[in-house]
Amino acid sequence: MIALPVSRKDLISLSIKDTQNTIENIMEHLFEDETFIPGEKTESRRRVFDSGKEILTTTDKIIKSYIRVSRDNREIVRIPAYRIQHNNIAGFYKGGIRFSETVSEEEVENLAVLMTLKNALHDLPYGGAKGGVVINPKDYSDRELNLVSKKYVQRFAPDIGPTHDIPAPDMGTNDQVMDWMIGEYKTIHPGKSYLGAFTGKSIENGGALGRREATGKGTYHSYFWLINEWARKQKDREKEIDKGIHFQQYEKLKSIYERSDEGKSIRMAVQGFGNVGGVAANMAYHCKELKHDVIAVSDHLGTLYNADGLDIDKLVVFHNRNNQLPNTQEELDAAEIKAELLHRDDILTLDMDVFILAAIEDQITTSNMKKVKADVFVEGANAPIDAAADQYLHDQGKVVIPDILANAGGVMVSYLEWKQDRITQVYTEDEVLNQMYLQMSNSCEKVFREYFSKGLPGIRTTCYSNALKRLFELLYKHGKLF
Ligand code: NAD
């Protein structure tokens, strides 16, 4: 029996090779589970699974190009740019375009594979792709960024489109970049349907209402669902939960809603106060079913702490005006916010029950994993908990809701944007968010029920395994595995 990876240790990896190994390991585990694709036995089963592994560990298309732009000082620069399409068995390729100096072919390919898995996990009708341009957008003027965006579309136009490959914003890009790109796409394809070729556009340009808040709301919902819709409903069935780590995790989840039921507040901290963190903090602050004190929030400048709970409404108002949290006593006084100012990283080790990580990657690592005190961690950001720390927290009976599950609200709403652009009908904000909540609930139901009821080795592994099962079944039904 092949040992399944427990959690991020073997799953989230810097290199495409590691991701491919993870896929192979999980597929090997599925091979041994004869309830999966039961019609295939012995040698033909081996062949079918080997060809499935080959397909899912091979990237369909890697396109590299160079963008030449004339900078404001008239210097001509030559910038590497990528669009990488991993697999489209579940639907059209879909994935963001990032503008970052760290972009490399390997990184973009790895992210494309992870998009295939994320879209499959959430039953979205998309495959996985990713794009990248090797620039630091902060070093470029608007005119220069506009040129880079247009040239990107010129280079990759034959490979993108509403029924082929649909990019979206990612690190370093936003709705403005998508608007520029769709403008260029339209010019290149006169008279053709174009709006659904990009998602994450401005509302005026066909973007979905509620898109900005979708990831933060979805992130909060994954945690809320686990506590209120799963843990709370296990009371009569708790004897069925696997003893050991699973039961320890269940007890931690139970203690969270019991705390709220007893009139004590759940102590929550939120790292990052942007689109994801600011919205998630606000959701917790206003949640009627579970009572929270948001005792700390942080951004790149510092941490704000109040053991009795921060006034999130006032912080949202301040942030909307200043695009950052208050970081001096004068600013706090002027905004009438009661909080202590702490170092940015102090938030990581405060005494709390729930920690939403919504800033950047690698925040909980071997250097601080023994000092973190929360029982439940929610990955709003991508990869904020590193491999070793993830494993350690799991072994302590703590619960980590992984990024592939928690932060998918954005791509779910991207799907609705693509749909509304194709049927030329605008969804209301309520329609968009209700659909996102429903889809997130379905994904949580699938993952958490299976993880706890079957005593599986890790929540992250359960997500990956679910995604691979869907992809494998599609390949099988399409007659692609022999
Ligand atoms: P954002 O730029 O709106 O906000 C990021 C926040 O993190 C800011 O408040 C910033 O000050 C803070 N921050 C940066 N470095 C920090 C540090 N060292 N310590 C504490 N705070 C720090 O970005 P966002 O859209 O909210 O995205 C946050 C994370 O979620 C990113 O990792 C992003 O890749 C991921 N994500 C976002 C979406 C989305 O739809 N926005 C979807 C999936 C994943």
Side-chain angles (χ1 to χ4, degrees):
M1 174 92 166
I2 299 274
L4 259 186
V6 170
S7 57
R8 189 187 297 284
K9 187 171 179 200
D10 307 287
L11 287 174
I12 296 292
S13 35
L14 295 174
S15 83
I16 175 71
K17 262 261 121 321
D18 293 342
T19 303
Q20 288 165 341
N21 287 340
T22 300
I23 291 175
E24 288 191 350
N25 283 343
I26 294 181
M27 296 277 293
E28 201 51 36
H29 187 78
L30 293 175
F31 169 79
E32 286 169 8
D33 172 5
E34 291 195 350
T35 61
F36 180 62
I37 317 272
E40 294 293 341
K41 308 233 184 277
T42 59
E43 270 178 40
S44 85
R45 185 171 181 83
R46 185 72 270 167
R47 274 200 309 276
V48 160
F49 274 76
D50 283 351
S51 50
K53 271 197 232 172
E54 278 301 316
I55 293 175
L56 293 172
T57 55
T58 308
T59 293
D60 287 351
K61 197 166 183 180
I62 297 179
I63 319 160
K64 179 176 182 181
S65 184
Y66 288 91
I67 291 172
R68 284 181 301 275
V69 289
S70 160
R71 300 210 56 176
D72 294 343
N73 62 6
R74 299 195 173 265
E75 181 197 355
I76 307 279
V77 286
R78 187 170 168 267
I79 306 162
Y82 302 91
R83 187 71 191 166
I84 298 188
Q85 298 164 336
H86 169 245
N87 186 280
N88 66 352
I89 190 66
F92 308 127
Y93 298 108
K94 179 129 193 57
I97 299 171
R98 58 173 53 179
F99 286 2
S100 161
E101 278 171 321
T102 68
V103 161
S104 66
E105 182 175 320
E106 193 181 56
E107 180 191 71
V108 179
E109 187 180 3
N110 197 28
L111 291 167
V113 181
L114 295 175
M115 277 311 292
T116 304
L117 296 175
K118 187 186 259 191
N119 289 332
L121 170 65
H122 296 283
D123 283 327
L124 292 164
Y126 291 132
K130 204 79 181 185
V133 179
V134 190
I135 56 166
N136 180 353
K138 293 205 171 89
D139 295 342
Y140 281 67
S141 69
D142 273 3
R143 187 197 72 88
E144 293 169 336
L145 286 175
N146 173 290
L147 275 181
V148 169
S149 305
K150 287 202 288 208
K151 293 260 173 152
Y152 184 94
V153 177
Q154 289 165 19
R155 292 283 176 273
F156 298 103
D159 288 288
I160 52 185
T163 56
H164 183 46
D165 181 356
I166 306 134
D170 195 78
M171 191 190 287
T173 53
N174 54 18
D175 55 351
Q176 172 66 84
V177 172
M178 294 303 111
D179 285 357
W180 287 331
M181 287 191 171
I182 201 115
E184 189 62 11
Y185 184 86
K186 186 179 182 217
T187 306
I188 294 172
H189 300 281
K192 294 266 166 60
S193 158
Y194 66 95
L195 271 182
F198 291 82
T199 61
K201 307 178 294 289
S202 66
I203 302 294
E204 300 76 12
N205 208 1
L209 292 161
R211 169 68 183 82
R212 193 191 80 78
E213 299 84 10
T215 305
K217 290 190 172 175
T219 296
Y220 180 78
H221 188 72
S222 67
Y223 147 77
F224 176 79
W225 192 94
L226 179 59
I227 302 289
N228 227 40
E229 291 297 316
W230 186 77
R232 197 186 269 289
K233 294 181 180 165
Q234 298 311 301
K235 251 194 177 136
D236 304 329
R237 282 183 277 168
E238 54 183 44
K239 287 204 182 71
E240 291 163 28
I241 299 171
D242 223 43
K243 296 291 169 246
I245 298 281
H246 293 76
F247 201 77
Q248 286 174 36
Q249 289 175 318
Y250 165 67
E251 296 232 288
K252 290 201 163 60
L253 299 172
K254 186 170 147 188
S255 74
I256 287 181
Y257 72 75
E258 282 181 348
R259 205 180 157 87
S260 170
D261 292 352
E262 286 160 11
K264 289 187 231 151
S265 295
I266 301 161
R267 294 162 310 153
M268 176 181 278
V270 182
Q271 186 192 39
F273 206 76
N275 288 330
V276 182
V279 170
N282 205 31
M283 294 290 289
Y285 186 68
H286 289 285
C287 184
K288 293 200 170 59
E289 292 87 348
L290 295 173
K291 187 171 177 318
H292 295 95
D293 278 343
V294 181
I295 56 149
V297 296
S298 69
D299 69 1
H300 60 292
L301 299 170
T303 293
L304 297 178
Y305 173 69
N306 183 336
D308 297 325
L310 295 159
D311 186 329
I312 299 297
D313 282 344
K314 286 187 180 162
L315 286 170
V316 168
V317 170
F318 185 94
H319 194 273
N320 287 346
R321 283 198 194 126
N322 302 286
N323 208 24
Q324 62 184 50
L325 291 169
N327 76 327
T328 62
Q329 193 56 52
E330 293 70 42
E331 283 179 344
L332 284 170
D333 291 344
E336 298 179 358
I337 293 167
K338 290 198 184 83
E340 227 178 289
L341 288 161
L342 304 179
H343 183 273
R344 186 190 69 192
D345 296 338
D346 286 349
I347 194 166
L348 296 162
T349 50
L350 290 172
D351 207 6
M352 64 178 100
D353 304 305
V354 181
F355 194 9
I356 297 185
L357 293 126
I360 53 171
E361 66 283 349
D362 287 335
Q363 293 304 289
I364 302 182
T365 64
T366 40
S367 66
N368 60 9
M369 66 189 185
K370 294 193 175 150
K371 294 191 210 136
V372 296
K373 300 188 183 70
D375 286 330
V376 176
F377 297 81
V378 192
E379 292 189 323
N382 288 318
I385 302 179
D386 86 358
D390 192 39
Q391 183 71 56
Y392 175 82
L393 297 175
H394 175 88
D395 293 344
Q396 299 299 304
K398 296 180 183 245
V399 176
V400 178
I401 306 182
D403 45 11
I404 184 174
L405 178 62
N407 71 20
V411 66
M412 288 172 182
V413 170
S414 270
Y415 166 59
L416 296 176
E417 176 178 343
W418 175 79
K419 220 160 102 171
Q420 79 176 9
D421 288 343
R422 291 183 58 76
I423 58 177
T424 56
Q425 175 195 322
V426 178
Y427 293 118
T428 64
E429 188 167 338
D430 279 352
E431 284 170 332
V432 168
L433 292 174
N434 288 339
Q435 182 63 34
M436 185 275 288
Y437 286 136
L438 183 66
Q439 223 168 344
M440 185 58 88
S441 299
N442 290 342
S443 300
C444 287
E445 166 109 33
K446 185 166 68 177
V447 170
F448 292 123
R449 279 201 200 293
E450 193 181 343
Y451 170 70
F452 282 103
S453 69
K454 296 192 180 161
L456 294 181
I459 299 173
R460 206 181 301 272
T461 313
T462 311
C463 293
Y464 277 56
S465 169
N466 258 289
L468 286 169
K469 269 187 185 167
R470 174 162 185 246
L471 295 166
F472 193 89
E473 264 169 350
L474 284 170
L475 286 167
Y476 186 65
K477 288 197 187 298
H478 281 223
K480 292 192 188 297
L481 306 180
F482 294 99

